[in-house]
């Protein structure tokens, strides 16, 4: 009989007892400390470390409501999905996800490798750090985890079983509401809009019927296009980095959806870093240097993704009709179209909706934030409405740079 035979939400002292009882990482001489370090919207994340050695572990526990708001009642099954996906992604993209030590379906927690020698990418970008290997690492992660879980490669019955196993209705509902619906109508009155931009957003987003039609099409695509096993929340807060290393964490939103959802999420969050740099770096030379690095990074990610995707396609394709000449390029074009659309959706929802990003909310100067928001939102509308026109990295960054010139400093 153990006190961990029945679920309860742990406090740091419980987590110390938990790791002693359930894990074999620490020896009897260990002097353990624990701190809750989670800053996400949903879960509780504990770091436990031994003061007598360099051993440490992360324990992530799911509660039955979101931290951000009790509005969201959530199945703790998301913790199973996260643990299983991390293990699967670890096989598909080794060295780019933390090692899982134990998944506990009673306590709804997952114990995993501590990445405290890395930093969360969003914060690192806000601090204007550069990561020269990031484009290579993240494109390998995306191509391997996405393409290799599609019907292009997988045996189709096996893939359908995976679709079933990773049905994630409550977390998908969050995305459907927060990404695909509320930014365009505020129908639940949960949007949090920066007051100086309210009237502009009402006109440009709540009243743009043409935009609503395109977003409606995209929402149904998200809900009905079981293309690949997505990470489902691939923003810069879900990525740990060091100059020579990249780890993707937090795949609890994973499910079978359109590949462009992951790629577009990443691109949008790099554009937020770019907008933050534009708004906050006062020294012109320094600003241009960092923004140019980010622009090149975005171009490199899109173009490397394309190159690796086509190569991996040819090396791994098993479906006979997918081998027809020209199909690989057609398939990739649909992914690039979806990527552009999701880039626009993510840019919009993080500014208009309830789940914000520090890159934008952290811009203290009111006029600078207003301008940053309008640049991102104007570019977003083009990404959504003209999604068919974005064929490479240059097309993506050209949209943002062109819009930036429309809004004077
Ligand atoms: C209620 S959860 C809000 C957001 O946090 C997560 O990281 C996802 O991005 C979600 O949309
Ligand atoms: Mg998360």
């Amino acid at each position: 009989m153990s006190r961990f035979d029945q679920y309860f939400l742990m406090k740091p002292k419980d987590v110390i007892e938990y790791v002693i009882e359930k894990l074999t990482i620490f020896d009897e001489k260990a002097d353990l400390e624990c701190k809750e370090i989670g800053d996400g919207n949903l879960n509780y994340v504990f770091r436990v470390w031994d003061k007598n050695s360099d051993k440490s572990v992360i324990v992530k526990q799911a509660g039955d409501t979101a931290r951000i708001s009790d509005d969201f009642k959530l199945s703790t099954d998301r913790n199973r999905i996260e643990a299983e996906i991390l293990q699967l992604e670890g096989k598909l993209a080794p060295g780019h996800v933390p090692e899982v030590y134990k998944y506990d379906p009673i306590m709804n927690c997952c114990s995993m490798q501590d990445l405290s020698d890395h930093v969360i990418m969003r914060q690192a970008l806000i601090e204007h750090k550069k990561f020269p290997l990031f484009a290579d690492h993240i494109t390998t992660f995306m191509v391997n985890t996405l393409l290799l879980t599609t019907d292009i490669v997988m045996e189709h019955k096996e893939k359908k079983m995976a679709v079933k196993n990773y049905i994630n209705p409550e977390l998908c509902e969050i995305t459907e509401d927060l990404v695909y619906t509320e930014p365009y109508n505020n129908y639940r009155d949960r949007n949090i809009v920066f007051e100086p931009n309210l009237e502009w957003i009402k006109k440009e987003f709540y009243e743009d019927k043409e935009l609503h039609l395109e977003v409606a099409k995209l929402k149904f695509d998200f809900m009905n296009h079981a293309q690949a096993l997505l990470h489902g929340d691939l923003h810069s807060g879900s990525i740990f980095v060091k100059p020579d290393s990249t780890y993707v964490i937090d795949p609890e939103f994973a499910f079978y959806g359109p590949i462009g959802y992951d790629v577009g999420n990443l691109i949008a969050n790099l554009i937020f870093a770019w907008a933050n740099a534009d708004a906050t770096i006062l020294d012109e030379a320094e600003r241009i240097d960092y923004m140019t690095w980010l622009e090149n990074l975005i171009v490199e990610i899109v173009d490397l993704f394309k190159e690796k995707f086509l190569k991996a396609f040819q090396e791994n394709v098993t479906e006979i009709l997918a081998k027809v000449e020209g199909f690989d390029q057609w398939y990739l074009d649909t992914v690039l179209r979806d990527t552009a659309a999701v880039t626009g959706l993510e840019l919009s929802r993080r500014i208009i909706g309830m789940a914000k990003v520090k890159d934008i909310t952290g811009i203290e100067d009111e006029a600078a934030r207003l301008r940053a928001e309008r640049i991102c939102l104007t570019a977003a509308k083009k990404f959504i409405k003209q999604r068919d026109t974005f064929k490479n990295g240059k097309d993506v960054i050209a949209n943002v740079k062109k819009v930036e010139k429309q809004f004077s400093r």
Side-chain angles (χ1 to χ4, degrees):
M1 192 57 191
S2 151
R3 57 190 294 251
F4 303 111
D5 286 346
Q6 205 170 8
Y7 175 76
F8 67 96
L9 219 41
M10 292 190 282
K11 295 275 179 256
K13 65 178 179 11
D14 306 313
V15 180
I16 291 184
E17 271 185 55
Y18 179 87
V19 301
I20 292 171
E21 185 179 320
K22 299 285 185 184
L23 306 180
T24 54
I25 297 170
F26 302 108
D27 57 37
E28 354 30 279
K29 292 198 201 104
D31 184 5
L32 299 183
E33 286 225 5
C34 176
K35 193 170 176 226
E36 207 279 311
I37 56 165
D39 63 355
N41 293 324
L42 301 183
N43 305 294
Y44 301 87
V45 182
F46 301 91
R47 177 168 188 259
V48 184
W49 70 99
D50 176 12
K51 289 192 279 176
N52 291 334
S53 73
D54 57 2
K55 291 178 181 165
S56 57
V57 66
I58 295 294
V59 179
K60 180 170 178 181
Q61 188 179 34
D64 54 13
T65 55
R67 281 178 89 150
I68 189 177
S69 154
D70 286 349
D71 259 14
F72 299 98
K73 310 276 177 249
L74 301 172
S75 162
T76 44
D77 187 50
R78 68 185 188 277
N79 198 255
R80 173 199 59 94
I81 292 182
E82 172 159 356
E84 286 186 19
I85 299 289
L86 283 176
Q87 285 163 313
L88 178 63
E89 289 177 345
K91 289 190 190 118
L92 296 171
H96 293 305
V97 288
E99 186 186 340
V100 172
Y101 302 140
K102 180 184 173 64
Y103 162 61
D104 182 336
I106 296 167
M107 292 302 291
N108 298 309
C109 68
C110 175
S111 306
M112 67 186 101
Q113 183 182 356
D114 179 21
L115 295 167
S116 300
D117 55 336
H118 292 62
V119 287
I120 285 290
M121 189 170 196
R122 187 181 307 286
Q123 185 56 33
L125 296 178
I126 287 172
E127 291 167 13
H128 315 135
K129 306 247 164 63
K130 295 178 183 173
F131 299 93
L133 300 181
F134 179 71
D136 184 31
H137 291 165
I138 202 67
T139 50
T140 295
F141 173 84
M142 291 192 296
V143 169
N144 290 9
T145 60
L146 296 168
L147 181 66
L148 301 186
T149 58
T150 63
D151 281 303
I152 303 293
V153 178
M154 282 181 80
E155 196 280 322
H156 302 331
K157 292 190 293 305
E158 211 180 296
K159 183 250 178 177
K160 287 180 176 68
M161 291 309 291
V163 173
K164 179 177 166 191
N165 196 27
Y166 300 116
I167 280 289
N168 198 348
E170 285 151 348
L171 285 266
C172 282
E173 186 181 41
I174 292 180
T175 304
E176 287 152 25
D177 285 339
L178 296 192
V179 179
Y180 287 88
T181 310
E182 295 175 35
Y184 305 93
N185 51 35
N186 196 23
Y187 87 109
R188 285 196 172 166
D189 201 22
R190 297 196 295 199
N191 287 350
I192 303 170
V193 174
F194 181 51
E195 176 62 30
N197 257 337
L198 184 58
E199 288 311 312
W200 188 87
I201 285 171
K202 275 186 186 161
K203 178 170 166 293
E204 292 292 329
F205 279 75
Y206 298 167
E207 291 168 17
D208 186 342
K209 298 277 186 298
E210 192 196 323
L211 179 67
H212 297 177
L213 175 59
E214 296 315 309
V215 175
K217 293 176 194 169
L218 293 166
K219 181 174 180 180
F220 275 73
D221 193 52
F222 177 81
M223 294 190 294
N224 296 293
H225 188 189
Q227 186 175 32
L229 187 51
L230 307 185
H231 175 282
D233 200 21
L234 191 56
H235 56 79
S236 50
S238 298
I239 300 172
F240 266 116
V241 276
K242 279 203 302 189
D244 59 349
S245 166
T246 302
Y247 277 83
V248 175
I249 59 165
D250 278 6
E252 64 197 321
F253 281 79
F255 85 113
Y256 260 87
I259 292 174
Y261 190 79
D262 274 1
V263 189
N265 234 286
L266 175 71
I267 300 300
N269 281 276
L270 294 175
I271 293 173
F272 284 135
W274 178 92
N276 176 279
D278 185 45
T280 63
I281 305 179
L282 300 179
D283 179 80
E284 193 180 1
E286 209 187 301
R287 182 171 69 243
I288 291 171
D289 176 69
Y290 197 62
M291 288 176 74
T292 305
W293 180 75
L294 281 168
E295 287 160 18
N296 291 338
L297 178 69
I298 292 168
V299 172
E300 196 184 352
I301 288 173
V302 175
D303 293 347
L304 256 187
F305 175 81
K306 286 177 61 180
E307 189 185 314
K308 290 185 186 181
F309 192 92
L310 287 175
K311 185 163 181 282
F313 192 114
Q314 288 310 325
E315 286 169 357
N316 295 286
V317 58
T318 61
E319 156 60 48
I320 185 162
L321 279 177
K323 293 178 186 169
V324 169
E325 205 187 328
F327 183 81
D328 57 350
Q329 190 58 59
W330 172 83
Y331 190 91
L332 176 59
D333 280 350
T334 69
V335 170
L336 295 171
R337 177 200 63 205
D338 297 347
T339 295
V342 174
T343 300
L345 293 165
E346 174 74 1
L347 284 170
S348 306
R349 73 95 167 208
R350 294 290 189 184
I351 292 174
I352 302 173
M354 71 186 288
K356 301 291 192 208
V357 287
K358 197 176 160 196
D359 320 46
I360 298 298
T361 57
I363 301 171
E364 283 169 12
D365 182 88
E366 190 171 295
R369 176 166 171 185
L370 183 125
R371 179 172 179 271
E373 290 196 355
R374 288 190 188 181
I375 292 169
C376 290
L377 291 173
T378 306
K381 289 181 69 167
K382 183 161 176 192
F383 280 130
I384 295 169
K385 288 182 173 177
Q386 296 177 33
R387 55 192 177 279
D388 278 318
T389 64
F390 296 92
K391 304 287 184 202
N392 54 43
K394 227 170 92 222
D395 292 343
V396 170
I397 211 64
N399 178 28
V400 181
K401 290 188 74 170
K402 192 168 170 205
V403 168
E404 193 241 3
K405 291 195 180 69
Q406 288 171 27
F407 294 94
S408 57
R409 253 173 228 285

